[in-house]
Amino acid sequence: MAKVYNFSAGPAVLPHQVLAEAQSEMLDWHGSGMCVMEMSHRGKEFMEIIHDAEHDLRGLMGIPANYKVLFLQGGASQQFAQVPLNLLGERDSVDIVNTGHWSKLAIKEARRYAKVNVAASSEDRNFAYVPDEAGWQRDPKAAYLHYTSNETIGGLQFPFVPQSLPDVPLVCDMSSDFLSREVDVSQFGLIYAGAQKNIGPSGLVVLIVREDLLGKARADLPTMLNYQVHADADSMYNTPPTFPIYISGLVFKWLKEQGGVKSIATRNEEKAGLLNHVIESSEGFYHTHIDAPFRSRMNVVFRLKDEGLEETFLLEARKNGLIQLKGHRAVGGIRASIYNAMPIEGVKSLANFMQDFARIHG
Ligand SMILES: *Cc1c(COP(=O)(O)O)cnc(C)c1O
């Protein structure tokens, strides 16, 4: 088998151990004689799988008892509509912080249902920073404040959790840094994350919602979009994405074995530090426009001084087993996504390659 390090932004690399375990159980899950894909979602085998997945996730994040964990479908993108449709209640406006591509899509979709107050934006400097919270223009009557903790495409990450006002819960699109660092869930009203970045296979969205925020959905909402329906049915209103839930459960177990979120956060800092060091010490050969405190630990986005060399960089990287490093088509350049499952050896290998490349072409 080709040995590669996969820096894809998503669907992204999964822990080797998880894939090997899934392979060994593929034809016969725990003596059941069935593949997980073939099981009734209401049978005792799958009930055990989803129960363990939720239990392990609750343990990893310290999710308080008054929060529901939901396993949903439709991608993080569906949440851009589903959040306002479920949380607006009697209110008609929402606050959203604009820090890049994904925030903009959240704003665009929320505008279909609510007045959107862009509480802060860093578009003036091409999303190179997170605006200082002291200057945010917040609406005390907003149904919630929405922000994107990590902008996967731009490579911009919040180093802080915004304040939740007493009556304005905090909603976070945590798709690309979920489980990558410690968070205090009790500061949030709702957290959602598409699975294909840092959790498991695409097709699954994990949602954590405070119970008192349920039950506000508009009456004409399709049943399948109503959080309350899924919460009441423990994510079993209809057939959930069983295989992605199973794989995600294996990832949660793997993360526990790694020492949990605190340990992985330390390793993530170290990984991002290795690449940032190469960029900063390259005398301009590599550069990033993101201000230092806001550089993402998950998606290291950079350019070469000579942009004409980027194609060669990607080709040479590929020859060295370093794949899927191309930046998003919206911003170009190079992007190294180094989620939890990317081993430090992969990052070291990329850092060495970058230094060699700069020496040869600099
Ligand atoms: C990938 C991503 C999305 C979109 O996820 P889909 O599952 O493709 O809908 C939304 N927000 C962030 C921060 C992302 O990284």
Side-chain angles (χ1 to χ4, degrees):
M1 196 179 96
K3 175 73 194 150
V4 298
Y5 289 114
N6 174 4
F7 295 90
S8 169
V13 62
L14 286 163
H16 181 82
Q17 185 186 320
V18 164
L19 295 179
E21 199 171 339
Q23 182 186 41
S24 77
E25 298 178 339
M26 184 64 73
L27 302 182
D28 179 11
W29 184 82
H30 294 199
S32 66
M34 293 180 281
C35 172
V36 174
M37 279 183 265
E38 305 171 305
M39 291 174 181
S40 161
H41 56 295
R42 301 189 195 279
K44 72 172 180 4
E45 293 88 356
F46 188 75
M47 291 307 263
E48 184 182 323
I49 288 171
I50 193 170
H51 171 273
D52 286 357
E54 176 173 342
H55 177 84
D56 289 340
L57 179 61
R58 283 185 176 276
L60 284 165
M61 293 183 76
I63 300 173
N66 63 327
Y67 284 73
K68 289 278 188 192
V69 173
L70 304 180
F71 297 102
L72 304 178
Q73 304 184 56
S77 300
Q78 183 165 291
Q79 294 308 314
F80 298 158
Q82 209 169 344
V83 168
L85 286 169
N86 277 273
L87 298 192
L88 267 174
E90 299 294 308
R91 302 195 176 187
D92 63 0
S93 69
V94 301
D95 279 356
I96 306 187
V97 181
N98 181 17
T99 49
H101 179 93
W102 294 113
S103 319
K104 281 174 139 178
L105 287 181
I107 290 168
K108 189 172 167 214
E109 195 69 3
R111 283 210 169 112
R112 294 160 61 85
Y113 310 105
K115 279 192 277 188
V116 174
N117 170 46
V118 178
S121 171
S122 54
E123 196 160 15
D124 59 337
R125 281 212 289 123
N126 194 20
F127 304 114
Y129 68 105
V130 174
D132 183 356
E133 209 183 349
W136 293 12
Q137 304 286 327
R138 295 187 60 168
D139 173 2
K141 295 233 162 18
Y144 55 83
L145 177 123
H146 179 286
Y147 77 109
T148 309
S149 54
N150 185 65
E151 286 283 358
T152 323
I153 291 174
L156 180 77
Q157 189 174 29
F158 271 71
F160 62 90
V161 172
Q163 222 187 336
S164 61
L165 304 180
D167 208 20
V168 185
L170 207 51
V171 172
C172 184
D173 175 357
M174 223 178 261
S175 294
S176 52
D177 65 357
F178 193 73
L179 289 172
S180 73
R181 57 180 175 179
E182 289 185 290
V183 294
D184 174 2
V185 175
S186 73
Q187 289 178 275
F188 296 85
L190 188 152
I191 294 168
Y192 63 92
Q196 72 272 26
K197 312 295 169 45
N198 218 3
I199 307 174
S202 61
L204 171 70
V205 179
V206 176
L207 197 115
I208 301 167
V209 57
R210 214 174 62 211
E211 278 169 354
D212 64 283
L213 298 176
L214 296 171
K216 296 173 190 238
R218 14 193 294 183
D220 64 351
L221 196 62
T223 309
M224 275 296 289
L225 294 185
N226 191 327
Y227 293 150
Q228 178 88 65
V229 169
H230 293 286
D232 289 346
D234 292 324
S235 303
M236 291 281 185
Y237 171 74
N238 73 326
T239 318
T242 53
F243 201 75
I245 291 170
Y246 156 67
I247 298 288
S248 300
L250 294 181
V251 172
F252 299 151
K253 279 199 191 359
W254 170 83
L255 192 47
K256 278 169 66 177
E257 285 170 28
Q258 305 303 303
V261 176
K262 195 173 180 163
S263 311
I264 209 85
T266 308
R267 213 173 317 157
N268 288 335
E269 284 291 331
E270 197 184 334
K271 280 152 53 182
L274 288 169
L275 298 184
N276 281 321
H277 174 72
V278 173
I279 293 168
E280 281 159 19
S281 57
S282 72
E283 290 167 2
F285 186 85
Y286 302 108
H287 65 94
T288 169
H289 80 289
I290 308 287
D291 294 352
F294 311 111
R295 285 180 198 156
S296 171
R297 273 62 172 159
M298 296 280 100
N299 312 97
V300 179
V301 172
F302 59 95
R303 300 215 67 133
L304 272 61
K305 182 166 65 188
D306 177 0
E307 291 180 11
L309 264 181
E310 286 171 353
E311 250 347 281
T312 313
F313 178 93
L314 293 168
L315 273 168
E316 291 290 321
R318 177 161 239 306
K319 280 191 209 149
N320 284 273
L322 307 166
I323 65 168
Q324 306 215 62
L325 281 160
K326 197 175 168 70
H328 190 273
R329 61 188 185 281
V331 298
I334 315 290
R335 170 172 54 173
S337 297
I338 49 174
Y339 300 117
N340 289 352
M342 170 58 67
I344 192 139
E345 294 74 26
V347 178
K348 284 183 178 158
S349 180
L350 174 60
N352 289 336
F353 168 78
M354 286 170 67
Q355 278 169 332
D356 290 347
F357 190 88
R359 200 164 39 239
I360 295 164
H361 298 273

